Coordinates of all heavy atoms in Angstrom, one line a residue:
M957 N -21.2 -20.5 -1.1 CA -21.2 -20.4 0.3 C -22.6 -19.8 0.7 O -23.0 -18.8 0.2 CB -20.1 -19.4 0.8 CG -20.2 -19.1 2.2 SD -18.7 -18.2 2.9 CE -19.1 -16.6 2.3
K958 N -23.2 -20.5 1.6 CA -24.5 -20.0 2.1 C -24.3 -19.3 3.5 O -23.6 -19.8 4.4 CB -25.4 -21.2 2.3 CG -26.8 -20.8 2.7 CD -27.8 -22.0 2.7 CE -29.1 -21.4 3.1 NZ -30.2 -22.4 2.9
I959 N -25.0 -18.2 3.6 CA -24.9 -17.5 4.9 C -26.1 -17.9 5.7 O -27.2 -17.8 5.3 CB -24.9 -15.9 4.6 CG1 -23.7 -15.5 3.8 CG2 -25.0 -15.2 5.9 CD1 -23.8 -14.1 3.3
E960 N -25.8 -18.3 6.9 CA -26.9 -18.7 7.8 C -27.2 -17.5 8.7 O -26.3 -16.9 9.3 CB -26.4 -19.8 8.7 CG -27.6 -20.4 9.6 CD -27.2 -21.6 10.3 OE1 -26.4 -22.4 9.8 OE2 -27.6 -21.8 11.4
L961 N -28.4 -17.1 8.7 CA -28.9 -15.9 9.4 C -29.7 -16.2 10.6 O -30.4 -17.2 10.6 CB -29.7 -15.0 8.5 CG -29.0 -14.5 7.2 CD1 -30.0 -13.8 6.3 CD2 -27.8 -13.7 7.5
R962 N -29.5 -15.4 11.6 CA -30.3 -15.5 12.8 C -31.4 -14.5 12.7 O -31.5 -13.8 11.7 CB -29.4 -15.3 14.1 CG -28.2 -16.2 14.2 CD -27.4 -15.8 15.3 NE -27.0 -14.4 15.2 CZ -26.2 -13.7 16.0 NH1 -25.6 -14.4 17.0 NH2 -25.9 -12.5 15.8
G963 N -32.2 -14.4 13.7 CA -33.3 -13.5 13.7 C -33.0 -12.1 14.1 O -33.8 -11.3 14.4
D964 N -31.7 -11.7 13.9 CA -31.2 -10.4 14.3 C -31.8 -9.3 13.5 O -32.1 -9.5 12.3 CB -29.7 -10.3 14.2 CG -29.0 -11.1 15.2 OD1 -29.5 -11.5 16.3 OD2 -27.8 -11.5 15.0
S965 N -32.0 -8.1 14.1 CA -32.4 -7.0 13.3 C -31.1 -6.2 12.9 O -30.0 -6.5 13.4 CB -33.3 -6.1 14.1 OG -32.5 -5.4 15.1
I966 N -31.3 -5.3 11.9 CA -30.1 -4.5 11.5 C -29.5 -3.8 12.7 O -28.3 -3.7 12.8 CB -30.6 -3.5 10.4 CG1 -31.1 -4.2 9.2 CG2 -29.5 -2.5 10.1 CD1 -30.1 -5.0 8.5
R967 N -30.4 -3.3 13.6 CA -29.9 -2.6 14.8 C -28.9 -3.4 15.6 O -28.0 -2.9 16.2 CB -31.1 -2.2 15.6 CG -30.7 -1.4 16.9 CD -31.9 -1.0 17.7 NE -33.1 -0.5 17.0 CZ -33.2 0.7 16.5 NH1 -32.3 1.6 16.6 NH2 -34.3 1.0 15.9
D968 N -29.1 -4.8 15.6 CA -28.3 -5.7 16.4 C -26.9 -5.8 15.8 O -25.9 -6.2 16.5 CB -28.9 -7.1 16.5 CG -30.2 -7.1 17.2 OD1 -30.4 -6.2 18.2 OD2 -31.1 -7.9 16.9
V969 N -26.7 -5.5 14.5 CA -25.4 -5.8 13.9 C -24.8 -4.5 13.3 O -23.7 -4.6 12.8 CB -25.6 -6.9 12.8 CG1 -26.0 -8.2 13.3 CG2 -26.5 -6.4 11.7
M970 N -25.5 -3.4 13.3 CA -25.0 -2.2 12.7 C -23.9 -1.5 13.6 O -23.9 -1.7 14.8 CB -26.1 -1.2 12.3 CG -26.8 -0.6 13.5 SD -28.3 0.3 13.0 CE -27.7 1.9 13.1
T971 N -23.1 -0.7 13.0 CA -22.1 0.1 13.7 C -22.8 1.3 14.3 O -23.4 2.1 13.6 CB -21.0 0.6 12.7 OG1 -20.4 -0.5 12.1 CG2 -20.0 1.4 13.5
P972 N -22.8 1.4 15.6 CA -23.6 2.5 16.3 C -23.1 3.9 16.0 O -23.9 4.8 15.9 CB -23.5 2.2 17.7 CG -22.3 1.3 17.9 CD -22.1 0.6 16.6
E973 N -21.8 4.1 15.8 CA -21.3 5.4 15.5 C -20.3 5.3 14.4 O -19.1 5.3 14.6 CB -20.6 6.0 16.7 CG -21.6 6.2 17.9 CD -21.0 6.9 19.1 OE1 -20.1 7.7 18.9 OE2 -21.4 6.6 20.2
P974 N -20.8 5.3 13.1 CA -19.9 5.2 12.0 C -19.0 6.4 11.8 O -19.3 7.5 12.3 CB -20.8 5.0 10.8 CG -22.1 5.6 11.2 CD -22.2 5.4 12.7
V975 N -17.8 6.2 11.3 CA -16.8 7.3 11.0 C -17.3 8.1 9.8 O -17.6 7.5 8.8 CB -15.4 6.7 10.8 CG1 -14.4 7.8 10.5 CG2 -15.0 6.0 12.1
T976 N -17.3 9.4 9.9 CA -17.7 10.2 8.8 C -16.5 11.1 8.4 O -15.7 11.5 9.3 CB -18.9 11.1 9.2 OG1 -18.6 12.0 10.3 CG2 -20.1 10.3 9.5
V977 N -16.5 11.5 7.2 CA -15.5 12.5 6.7 C -16.2 13.5 5.7 O -17.2 13.1 5.1 CB -14.3 11.8 5.9 CG1 -13.5 10.9 6.9 CG2 -14.8 11.1 4.7
A978 N -15.7 14.6 5.6 CA -16.2 15.6 4.7 C -15.8 15.2 3.2 O -14.8 14.5 3.0 CB -15.6 17.0 4.9
A979 N -16.7 15.6 2.3 CA -16.4 15.2 0.9 C -15.1 15.8 0.4 O -14.5 15.3 -0.6 CB -17.6 15.7 0.0
T980 N -14.6 16.8 1.0 CA -13.3 17.5 0.6 C -12.1 16.8 1.2 O -11.0 17.1 0.9 CB -13.4 18.9 1.1 OG1 -13.6 19.0 2.5 CG2 -14.4 19.7 0.3
T981 N -12.3 15.8 2.2 CA -11.2 15.1 2.8 C -10.5 14.3 1.6 O -11.1 13.8 0.7 CB -11.7 14.1 3.8 OG1 -12.5 14.8 4.8 CG2 -10.6 13.3 4.4
T982 N -9.1 14.3 1.7 CA -8.4 13.5 0.7 C -8.5 12.0 0.9 O -8.8 11.6 2.0 CB -6.9 13.9 0.7 OG1 -6.3 13.5 1.9 CG2 -6.7 15.4 0.4
L983 N -8.3 11.3 -0.1 CA -8.3 9.8 0.0 C -7.3 9.3 1.0 O -7.5 8.4 1.8 CB -8.1 9.2 -1.4 CG -9.1 9.4 -2.4 CD1 -8.7 8.8 -3.8 CD2 -10.5 8.8 -2.0
E984 N -6.1 10.0 1.0 CA -5.1 9.6 1.9 C -5.5 9.8 3.4 O -5.3 9.0 4.2 CB -3.8 10.5 1.6 CG -2.6 10.1 2.5 CD -1.4 11.0 2.1 OE1 -1.6 12.2 1.8 OE2 -0.3 10.4 2.0
Q985 N -6.2 11.0 3.6 CA -6.7 11.2 5.0 C -7.8 10.2 5.4 O -7.8 9.7 6.5 CB -7.2 12.6 5.1 CG -6.2 13.7 5.0 CD -6.8 15.1 4.8 OE1 -7.8 15.2 4.1 NE2 -6.2 16.1 5.4
A986 N -8.6 9.9 4.4 CA -9.7 8.9 4.7 C -9.1 7.5 5.0 O -9.6 6.8 5.9 CB -10.7 8.8 3.5
A987 N -8.1 7.2 4.2 CA -7.4 5.9 4.4 C -6.8 5.8 5.8 O -6.9 4.7 6.5 CB -6.4 5.6 3.4
R988 N -6.3 6.9 6.3 CA -5.7 6.9 7.6 C -6.8 6.7 8.7 O -6.6 6.0 9.7 CB -4.9 8.2 7.9 CG -3.6 8.2 7.1 CD -2.7 9.4 7.6 NE -1.5 9.4 6.8 CZ -1.1 10.4 6.1 NH1 -1.8 11.5 6.0 NH2 0.0 10.3 5.4
H989 N -7.9 7.4 8.5 CA -9.1 7.2 9.4 C -9.5 5.7 9.5 O -9.7 5.2 10.5 CB -10.3 8.0 9.0 CG -10.2 9.5 9.2 ND1 -10.1 10.0 10.5 CD2 -10.2 10.6 8.4 CE1 -10.0 11.4 10.4 NE2 -10.1 11.7 9.1
M990 N -9.6 5.1 8.3 CA -9.9 3.7 8.2 C -8.9 2.8 9.0 O -9.3 2.0 9.8 CB -10.1 3.2 6.8 CG -11.2 3.8 6.0 SD -11.3 3.1 4.4 CE -12.1 4.4 3.5
R991 N -7.7 3.1 8.7 CA -6.6 2.3 9.4 C -6.7 2.5 10.9 O -6.6 1.5 11.6 CB -5.2 2.8 8.8 CG -4.1 2.0 9.5 CD -2.7 2.8 9.4 NE -2.8 4.1 10.0 CZ -2.0 5.1 9.7 NH1 -1.1 5.0 8.8 NH2 -2.1 6.3 10.3
D992 N -6.7 3.7 11.3 CA -6.7 4.0 12.7 C -7.9 3.4 13.5 O -7.8 3.0 14.6 CB -6.6 5.5 13.0 CG -5.3 6.1 12.5 OD1 -4.4 5.3 12.2 OD2 -5.3 7.3 12.4
A993 N -9.1 3.4 12.8 CA -10.3 2.8 13.4 C -10.5 1.3 13.1 O -11.4 0.7 13.7 CB -11.5 3.6 12.9
G994 N -9.6 0.7 12.3 CA -9.8 -0.7 12.0 C -11.0 -1.0 11.2 O -11.7 -2.0 11.4
I995 N -11.4 -0.1 10.3 CA -12.6 -0.2 9.5 C -12.3 -0.2 8.0 O -11.2 0.2 7.6 CB -13.6 0.9 9.8 CG1 -13.0 2.3 9.6 CG2 -14.1 0.7 11.3 CD1 -14.0 3.4 9.8
G996 N -13.3 -0.5 7.2 CA -13.1 -0.6 5.7 C -13.9 0.4 4.9 O -13.9 0.4 3.7
N997 N -14.6 1.3 5.7 CA -15.3 2.4 4.9 C -15.6 3.5 5.9 O -15.5 3.4 7.1 CB -16.7 1.8 4.4 CG -17.6 1.3 5.5 OD1 -18.1 2.1 6.3 ND2 -17.7 0.0 5.7
V998 N -15.9 4.7 5.2 CA -16.3 5.9 5.9 C -17.6 6.4 5.2 O -17.7 6.3 4.0 CB -15.2 6.9 6.0 CG1 -14.1 6.4 6.9 CG2 -14.7 7.3 4.6
I999 N -18.4 7.1 6.0 CA -19.5 7.8 5.4 C -19.1 9.2 5.0 O -18.4 9.9 5.7 CB -20.7 7.9 6.5 CG1 -21.0 6.6 7.1 CG2 -21.9 8.7 5.9 CD1 -21.6 5.6 6.0
V1000 N -19.5 9.6 3.8 CA -19.1 10.9 3.2 C -20.2 11.9 3.5 O -21.4 11.7 3.1 CB -18.8 10.8 1.7 CG1 -18.4 12.1 1.2 CG2 -17.7 9.7 1.5
L1001 N -19.9 13.1 4.0 CA -20.8 14.2 4.3 C -20.5 15.4 3.5 O -19.3 15.7 3.3 CB -20.7 14.5 5.8 CG -21.0 13.5 6.8 CD1 -20.8 14.0 8.2 CD2 -22.4 12.9 6.7
E1002 N -21.6 16.1 3.1 CA -21.4 17.5 2.6 C -22.3 18.3 3.6 O -23.5 18.2 3.6 CB -21.9 17.6 1.2 CG -21.0 16.8 0.2 CD -21.4 17.0 -1.2 OE1 -22.1 18.0 -1.6 OE2 -20.9 16.2 -2.0
G1003 N -21.6 19.0 4.4 CA -22.3 19.7 5.5 C -22.7 18.6 6.5 O -21.9 17.8 6.9
E1004 N -24.0 18.5 6.8 CA -24.5 17.5 7.7 C -25.3 16.4 6.9 O -25.8 15.5 7.5 CB -25.4 18.1 8.7 CG -24.6 19.0 9.7 CD -25.4 19.5 10.9 OE1 -26.5 18.8 11.2 OE2 -25.1 20.5 11.5
L1005 N -25.3 16.5 5.6 CA -26.0 15.6 4.7 C -25.1 14.5 4.3 O -24.0 14.7 3.7 CB -26.5 16.4 3.5 CG -27.4 15.6 2.5 CD1 -28.7 15.1 3.1 CD2 -27.6 16.4 1.3
I1006 N -25.6 13.2 4.5 CA -24.9 12.0 4.0 C -25.0 12.0 2.4 O -26.1 12.0 1.9 CB -25.4 10.7 4.6 CG1 -25.2 10.7 6.1 CG2 -24.8 9.5 3.9 CD1 -25.8 9.6 6.8
T1007 N -23.9 12.0 1.7 CA -23.9 12.0 0.3 C -23.2 10.8 -0.3 O -23.3 10.6 -1.6 CB -23.3 13.3 -0.3 OG1 -21.9 13.4 0.2 CG2 -24.0 14.5 0.2
G1008 N -22.6 10.0 0.5 CA -21.9 8.8 -0.1 C -21.3 7.9 0.9 O -21.3 8.2 2.1
I1009 N -20.6 6.9 0.4 CA -19.8 6.0 1.2 C -18.6 5.7 0.4 O -18.6 5.6 -0.8 CB -20.6 4.7 1.6 CG1 -19.8 3.9 2.6 CG2 -21.0 3.9 0.4 CD1 -20.5 2.8 3.3
L1010 N -17.4 5.7 1.1 CA -16.2 5.4 0.5 C -15.6 4.1 1.2 O -15.5 4.1 2.4 CB -15.2 6.6 0.7 CG -13.8 6.3 0.2 CD1 -13.8 6.5 -1.3 CD2 -12.8 7.3 0.8
T1011 N -15.2 3.2 0.4 CA -14.6 1.9 0.9 C -13.1 1.9 0.6 O -12.7 2.6 -0.3 CB -15.3 0.7 0.3 OG1 -15.0 0.6 -1.1 CG2 -16.8 0.7 0.6
D1012 N -12.4 1.0 1.3 CA -11.0 0.9 1.0 C -10.9 0.3 -0.4 O -9.9 0.7 -1.1 CB -10.3 0.0 2.0 CG -11.1 -1.3 2.3 OD1 -12.1 -1.7 1.7 OD2 -10.6 -2.0 3.3
R1013 N -11.8 -0.4 -0.9 CA -11.7 -1.0 -2.3 C -11.9 0.2 -3.3 O -11.3 0.2 -4.3 CB -12.8 -2.0 -2.5 CG -12.7 -2.7 -3.8 CD -13.6 -3.9 -3.8 NE -13.3 -4.8 -5.0 CZ -13.7 -4.5 -6.2 NH1 -14.4 -3.5 -6.5 NH2 -13.4 -5.4 -7.2
D1014 N -12.8 1.1 -2.9 CA -13.0 2.3 -3.8 C -11.7 3.0 -4.0 O -11.3 3.5 -5.1 CB -14.0 3.3 -3.2 CG -15.4 2.8 -3.2 OD1 -15.8 1.9 -4.1 OD2 -16.2 3.2 -2.3
I1015 N -10.9 3.2 -2.9 CA -9.7 3.9 -3.0 C -8.7 3.2 -4.0 O -8.1 3.8 -4.8 CB -9.0 4.1 -1.6 CG1 -9.9 5.0 -0.7 CG2 -7.6 4.6 -1.7 CD1 -9.5 5.0 0.7
V1016 N -8.6 1.9 -3.8 CA -7.7 1.1 -4.6 C -8.2 1.0 -6.1 O -7.4 1.3 -7.0 CB -7.5 -0.3 -4.0 CG1 -6.7 -1.2 -5.0 CG2 -6.8 -0.2 -2.7
V1017 N -9.4 0.6 -6.3 CA -9.9 0.3 -7.6 C -10.3 1.5 -8.4 O -10.0 1.6 -9.6 CB -11.1 -0.8 -7.6 CG1 -11.7 -1.0 -8.9 CG2 -10.6 -2.1 -6.9
R1018 N -11.0 2.4 -7.8 CA -11.5 3.6 -8.5 C -10.4 4.7 -8.6 O -10.5 5.5 -9.5 CB -12.7 4.2 -7.8 CG -13.9 3.3 -8.0 CD -15.1 4.0 -7.4 NE -16.3 3.2 -7.5 CZ -17.4 3.5 -6.9 NH1 -17.6 4.6 -6.2 NH2 -18.5 2.7 -7.1
A1019 N -9.5 4.8 -7.7 CA -8.6 5.9 -7.7 C -7.1 5.5 -8.0 O -6.6 5.9 -9.0 CB -8.7 6.6 -6.3
V1020 N -6.5 4.7 -7.1 CA -5.1 4.4 -7.3 C -4.9 3.7 -8.6 O -3.9 4.0 -9.3 CB -4.6 3.6 -6.1 CG1 -3.2 3.1 -6.3 CG2 -4.7 4.4 -4.8
A1021 N -5.7 2.7 -8.9 CA -5.5 1.9 -10.1 C -5.7 2.8 -11.4 O -5.2 2.5 -12.4 CB -6.5 0.8 -10.2
E1022 N -6.4 3.9 -11.2 CA -6.6 4.9 -12.4 C -5.5 5.9 -12.4 O -5.5 6.8 -13.2 CB -8.0 5.5 -12.3 CG -9.1 4.5 -12.5 CD -9.1 3.9 -13.9 OE1 -8.7 4.6 -14.9 OE2 -9.5 2.7 -14.0
G1023 N -4.6 5.9 -11.4 CA -3.5 6.9 -11.4 C -3.8 8.2 -10.7 O -3.0 9.1 -10.8
W1024 N -4.9 8.2 -9.9 CA -5.2 9.4 -9.2 C -4.3 9.5 -8.0 O -4.0 8.5 -7.3 CB -6.7 9.4 -8.8 CG -7.7 9.5 -9.9 CD1 -7.4 9.5 -11.3 CD2 -9.1 9.5 -9.8 NE1 -8.5 9.5 -12.0 CE2 -9.6 9.5 -11.1 CE3 -10.0 9.6 -8.8 CZ2 -10.9 9.6 -11.4 CZ3 -11.3 9.6 -9.0 CH2 -11.8 9.6 -10.3
D1025 N -4.0 10.7 -7.6 CA -3.1 11.0 -6.5 C -3.9 11.0 -5.2 O -4.7 11.9 -5.0 CB -2.4 12.3 -6.7 CG -1.4 12.6 -5.5 OD1 -1.4 11.9 -4.5 OD2 -0.7 13.6 -5.7
P1026 N -3.8 10.0 -4.3 CA -4.5 10.0 -3.1 C -4.3 11.1 -2.1 O -5.2 11.5 -1.3 CB -4.1 8.7 -2.4 CG -3.4 7.9 -3.4 CD -2.9 8.8 -4.4
S1027 N -3.2 11.8 -2.3 CA -2.9 13.0 -1.4 C -3.6 14.2 -1.9 O -3.7 15.2 -1.2 CB -1.4 13.2 -1.3 OG -0.9 13.7 -2.5
Q1028 N -4.2 14.2 -3.1 CA -4.8 15.3 -3.7 C -6.3 15.1 -4.1 O -7.0 16.1 -4.3 CB -4.1 15.7 -5.0 CG -2.6 16.1 -4.8 CD -2.5 17.3 -3.9 OE1 -3.1 18.3 -4.1 NE2 -1.6 17.2 -2.9
T1029 N -6.7 13.9 -4.2 CA -8.1 13.5 -4.6 C -9.0 13.6 -3.5 O -8.9 12.8 -2.5 CB -8.1 12.2 -5.3 OG1 -7.1 12.1 -6.3 CG2 -9.5 11.8 -5.8
P1030 N -10.1 14.4 -3.6 CA -11.1 14.4 -2.5 C -12.0 13.1 -2.6 O -12.3 12.6 -3.6 CB -11.9 15.7 -2.8 CG -11.6 16.0 -4.2 CD -10.3 15.4 -4.6
V1031 N -12.4 12.7 -1.4 CA -13.3 11.5 -1.3 C -14.6 11.7 -2.1 O -15.1 10.7 -2.7 CB -13.6 11.0 0.1 CG1 -12.3 10.7 0.9 CG2 -14.4 12.1 0.9
G1032 N -15.0 12.9 -2.2 CA -16.3 13.2 -2.9 C -16.2 12.8 -4.4 O -17.2 12.6 -5.1
D1033 N -15.0 12.8 -5.0 CA -14.8 12.4 -6.4 C -14.8 10.9 -6.6 O -14.9 10.4 -7.7 CB -13.4 12.9 -6.9 CG -13.4 14.4 -7.0 OD1 -14.5 15.1 -6.8 OD2 -12.4 15.0 -7.4
V1034 N -14.7 10.1 -5.5 CA -14.5 8.7 -5.6 C -15.7 7.9 -5.0 O -16.0 6.8 -5.4 CB -13.2 8.2 -5.0 CG1 -13.0 6.7 -5.1 CG2 -12.0 8.9 -5.7
A1035 N -16.3 8.5 -4.0 CA -17.3 7.8 -3.2 C -18.5 7.3 -4.0 O -18.9 7.9 -5.0 CB -17.8 8.7 -2.0
S1036 N -19.1 6.2 -3.6 CA -20.3 5.7 -4.2 C -21.4 6.6 -3.7 O -21.5 6.9 -2.5 CB -20.6 4.3 -3.7 OG -19.6 3.4 -4.2
R1037 N -22.3 7.1 -4.6 CA -23.3 8.1 -4.2 C -24.7 7.5 -4.3 O -25.6 8.2 -3.9 CB -23.1 9.3 -5.0 CG -21.8 10.1 -4.7 CD -21.7 11.4 -5.3 NE -20.6 12.1 -4.9 CZ -20.6 13.0 -3.9 NH1 -21.7 13.3 -3.3 NH2 -19.5 13.7 -3.6
E1038 N -24.9 6.4 -5.0 CA -26.2 5.9 -5.1 C -26.4 4.9 -3.9 O -26.1 3.7 -4.0 CB -26.4 5.1 -6.5 CG -26.3 6.0 -7.6 CD -26.6 5.3 -8.9 OE1 -27.2 4.2 -8.9 OE2 -26.1 5.8 -10.0
L1039 N -26.9 5.5 -2.9 CA -27.1 4.8 -1.6 C -28.5 4.2 -1.4 O -29.5 4.8 -1.9 CB -26.8 5.7 -0.4 CG -25.4 6.4 -0.5 CD1 -25.2 7.3 0.7 CD2 -24.3 5.4 -0.5
T1040 N -28.5 3.1 -0.8 CA -29.8 2.5 -0.4 C -29.8 2.3 1.1 O -28.8 1.9 1.6 CB -30.0 1.1 -1.1 OG1 -29.9 1.3 -2.5 CG2 -31.3 0.5 -0.7
T1041 N -30.9 2.6 1.7 CA -30.9 2.4 3.2 C -32.0 1.5 3.6 O -32.9 1.2 2.8 CB -31.2 3.8 3.9 OG1 -32.4 4.3 3.4 CG2 -30.0 4.8 3.6
I1042 N -32.0 1.0 4.8 CA -32.9 0.1 5.3 C -33.1 0.5 6.8 O -32.2 0.9 7.5 CB -32.5 -1.3 5.1 CG1 -33.6 -2.3 5.5 CG2 -31.3 -1.7 5.9 CD1 -33.4 -3.7 5.0
S1043 N -34.3 0.3 7.3 CA -34.6 0.6 8.7 C -33.8 -0.2 9.7 O -33.7 -1.4 9.4 CB -36.1 0.5 9.0 OG -36.4 0.5 10.4
P1044 N -33.3 0.3 10.8 CA -32.6 -0.5 11.8 C -33.5 -1.6 12.4 O -33.0 -2.6 12.9 CB -32.2 0.5 12.8 CG -32.3 1.8 12.2 CD -33.4 1.7 11.1
D1045 N -34.8 -1.5 12.2 CA -35.7 -2.5 12.8 C -36.0 -3.7 11.8 O -36.6 -4.6 12.2 CB -37.0 -1.8 13.2 CG -36.8 -0.8 14.3 OD1 -36.0 -1.0 15.2 OD2 -37.4 0.3 14.2
E1046 N -35.5 -3.5 10.6 CA -35.7 -4.6 9.6 C -34.8 -5.8 10.0 O -33.7 -5.6 10.6 CB -35.4 -4.1 8.2 CG -36.3 -3.1 7.7 CD -37.7 -3.7 7.3 OE1 -37.7 -4.9 6.9 OE2 -38.7 -3.1 7.5
P1047 N -35.2 -7.0 9.6 CA -34.4 -8.2 9.9 C -33.1 -8.2 8.9 O -33.2 -7.6 7.8 CB -35.3 -9.4 9.5 CG -36.4 -8.8 8.7 CD -36.5 -7.4 9.0
V1048 N -32.1 -8.8 9.4 CA -30.8 -8.9 8.7 C -31.0 -9.5 7.3 O -30.5 -9.1 6.3 CB -29.7 -9.6 9.5 CG1 -28.5 -9.9 8.6 CG2 -29.3 -8.8 10.7
D1049 N -31.9 -10.6 7.3 CA -32.1 -11.2 6.0 C -32.7 -10.3 4.9 O -32.5 -10.5 3.7 CB -32.9 -12.5 6.1 CG -34.2 -12.4 6.8 OD1 -34.5 -11.3 7.3 OD2 -35.0 -13.4 6.8
A1050 N -33.5 -9.3 5.4 CA -34.0 -8.3 4.4 C -32.9 -7.5 3.8 O -32.9 -7.2 2.6 CB -35.0 -7.4 5.1
A1051 N -31.9 -7.2 4.6 CA -30.7 -6.4 4.1 C -29.9 -7.3 3.1 O -29.5 -6.8 2.1 CB -29.8 -5.9 5.3
V1052 N -29.7 -8.5 3.4 CA -29.0 -9.4 2.5 C -29.7 -9.5 1.2 O -29.1 -9.4 0.2 CB -28.8 -10.8 3.2 CG1 -28.3 -11.8 2.2 CG2 -27.9 -10.7 4.4
A1053 N -31.0 -9.7 1.3 CA -31.8 -9.8 0.0 C -31.7 -8.5 -0.8 O -31.6 -8.5 -2.0 CB -33.3 -10.1 0.4
L1054 N -31.7 -7.3 -0.1 CA -31.6 -6.0 -0.8 C -30.2 -5.9 -1.4 O -30.1 -5.4 -2.6 CB -31.9 -4.9 0.2 CG -31.9 -3.5 -0.3 CD1 -33.0 -3.3 -1.4 CD2 -32.1 -2.5 0.8
M1055 N -29.2 -6.3 -0.7 CA -27.8 -6.2 -1.3 C -27.7 -7.1 -2.5 O -27.1 -6.8 -3.5 CB -26.8 -6.6 -0.3 CG -26.6 -5.5 0.8 SD -25.2 -5.9 1.9 CE -25.9 -7.1 3.0
R1056 N -28.3 -8.3 -2.5 CA -28.2 -9.2 -3.6 C -29.0 -8.6 -4.8 O -28.6 -8.8 -6.0 CB -28.8 -10.6 -3.3 CG -27.9 -11.4 -2.4 CD -28.4 -12.7 -2.1 NE -27.5 -13.5 -1.3 CZ -27.8 -14.4 -0.4 NH1 -29.1 -14.7 -0.3 NH2 -26.9 -15.0 0.3
E1057 N -30.1 -8.0 -4.5 CA -30.9 -7.4 -5.6 C -30.2 -6.2 -6.3 O -30.4 -6.1 -7.5 CB -32.2 -6.9 -5.0 CG -33.2 -6.2 -5.9 CD -34.4 -5.6 -5.1 OE1 -35.0 -6.4 -4.4 OE2 -34.7 -4.4 -5.3
R1058 N -29.5 -5.5 -5.5 CA -28.9 -4.3 -6.1 C -27.4 -4.5 -6.5 O -26.7 -3.7 -6.9 CB -28.9 -3.1 -5.0 CG -30.3 -2.9 -4.6 CD -30.7 -1.5 -4.7 NE -32.2 -1.5 -4.5 CZ -32.8 -0.4 -4.4 NH1 -32.2 0.7 -4.5 NH2 -34.1 -0.4 -4.2

C-alpha cells in the first residue's frame, strides 16, 4: 500500500492537545483515558517532563500478554521511552521517512 502525501506540515495533522498521564498512572486508568477520548495513545510524564508514550498495543502486547495486572502496573513500566521528535514545521513526508527509518 502506498501512502499519498499532500504538502501538509506536521502542524497541520498533529493533535493540538494530546492526552498526558503520569508515569505512576495504572495501565487500567490509561486505557480508560484512551477509551473516553477515542484515542490510541497517551503521552507519559514524570513531573512536567515527557518520558514516553503508551499505546493501546503496548498495553495488550507488552503487559496483558505477559500476564501483568493492568490495575497494578504503572504506565512507566510499559511505555516506549526511546522517543524521536520532529518539528511541527517539517513536512509530513519527512515524518513518514523518519518512521520508516526507525
Side-chain angles (χ1 to χ4, degrees):
M957 173 169 78
K958 183 173 180 168
I959 299 173
E960 187 173 325
L961 302 174
R962 303 174 306 184
D964 291 338
S965 70
I966 297 299
R967 184 181 314 282
D968 296 329
V969 297
M970 65 189 260
T971 302
E973 294 184 37
V975 175
T976 62
V977 296
T980 56
T981 302
T982 66
L983 295 176
E984 183 176 44
Q985 292 166 323
R988 286 190 183 123
H989 284 298
M990 290 182 206
R991 179 198 62 202
D992 294 347
I995 57 176
N997 62 72
V998 291
I999 305 297
V1000 179
L1001 302 176
E1002 290 186 21
E1004 293 186 22
L1005 182 66
I1006 296 173
T1007 59
I1009 187 167
L1010 179 78
T1011 68
D1012 48 7
R1013 188 171 192 279
D1014 292 333
I1015 294 170
V1016 173
V1017 174
R1018 290 186 182 170
V1020 174
E1022 294 296 325
W1024 296 3
D1025 181 353
S1027 70
Q1028 299 297 313
T1029 305
V1031 300
D1033 289 356
V1034 179
S1036 297
R1037 293 187 175 264
E1038 293 184 26
L1039 305 178
T1040 300
T1041 60
I1042 191 167
S1043 167
D1045 298 318
E1046 291 290 323
V1048 170
D1049 58 349
V1052 171
L1054 184 60
M1055 286 188 284
R1056 287 183 177 150
E1057 177 185 311
R1058 306 233 169 174

